[in-house]
Amino acid sequence: MTETPRTPLTLAQVEATARAAHAGQTDKAGRPYAEHLRAVAEGVRERGGDEDQIAAAWLHDAVEDDALSPQWLREAALSSRTKDIVLAVTKRAGEPPEAYAARILATPGAALVKEADLAHNADPARLAILDEATRMRLTEKYARMRALLGQSAAV
């Protein structure tokens, strides 16, 4: 017996799922985490990303932050490309930054999602709210990842 194909989730459904999964979470500056997800999705859209990449942008931190399980992602009515991008940008415990960057670069569409993520993370207005030590640490971390991905610091 063949399985009936499921209707893929719309971008609005993906957004609602991501917002619900991260409900109650805040970023390092104490802002609702959904603001970061929206900014990354919008950054992907502004950079010419397609629907698979925009969906991945909404979900880019869901598995890493344990907001959604890997099983949920496997079973979700999403394209395999969206799932591949989400998994590519999901950091793994103990993974060297070089291996993380290589996986992103090897996954079609993932570099654009990570570029939008880094651009929002490194936004000077967001970083200005943080204490100096955290701001410096994160600025160096984001610059190193951009370098590993061959991306410029320009947003």
Side-chain angles (χ1 to χ4, degrees):
M1 174 169 24
T2 59
E3 187 176 318
T4 306
R6 294 181 293 159
T7 303
L9 294 173
T10 65
L11 280 178
Q13 290 170 318
V14 171
E15 175 183 347
T17 299
R19 286 180 179 277
H22 289 278
Q25 291 181 340
T26 57
D27 66 11
K28 290 175 181 65
R31 303 291 308 159
Y33 203 79
E35 290 179 9
H36 171 64
L37 302 176
R38 180 192 46 75
V40 175
E42 195 53 40
V44 167
R45 186 185 317 277
E46 290 169 0
R47 288 168 173 79
D50 59 29
E51 286 204 3
D52 287 342
Q53 291 169 303
I54 295 166
W58 277 108
L59 299 170
H60 79 276
D61 281 334
V63 174
E64 181 178 319
D65 291 350
D66 293 324
L68 295 170
S69 71
Q71 180 177 346
W72 178 90
L73 185 63
R74 278 191 303 278
E75 296 173 359
L78 297 165
S79 72
S80 59
R81 183 165 174 257
T82 294
K83 293 175 184 184
D84 289 346
I85 293 169
V86 171
L87 292 174
V89 299
T90 298
K91 291 181 198 140
R92 299 173 186 166
E95 180 177 39
E98 296 80 6
Y100 178 54
R103 185 174 64 252
I104 291 169
L105 291 171
T107 305
L112 183 73
V113 174
K114 190 61 184 176
E115 179 183 354
D117 180 38
L118 287 168
H120 189 246
N121 283 338
D123 179 339
R126 287 186 83 214
L127 291 172
I129 297 168
L130 305 174
D131 65 84
E132 186 175 354
T134 302
R135 185 171 54 249
M136 295 296 290
R137 179 181 59 79
L138 292 176
T139 298
E140 290 172 11
K141 174 184 167 183
Y142 302 146
R144 179 167 186 230
M145 184 52 59
R146 279 195 306 269
L148 289 170
L149 294 170
Q151 299 174 353
S152 69
V155 286

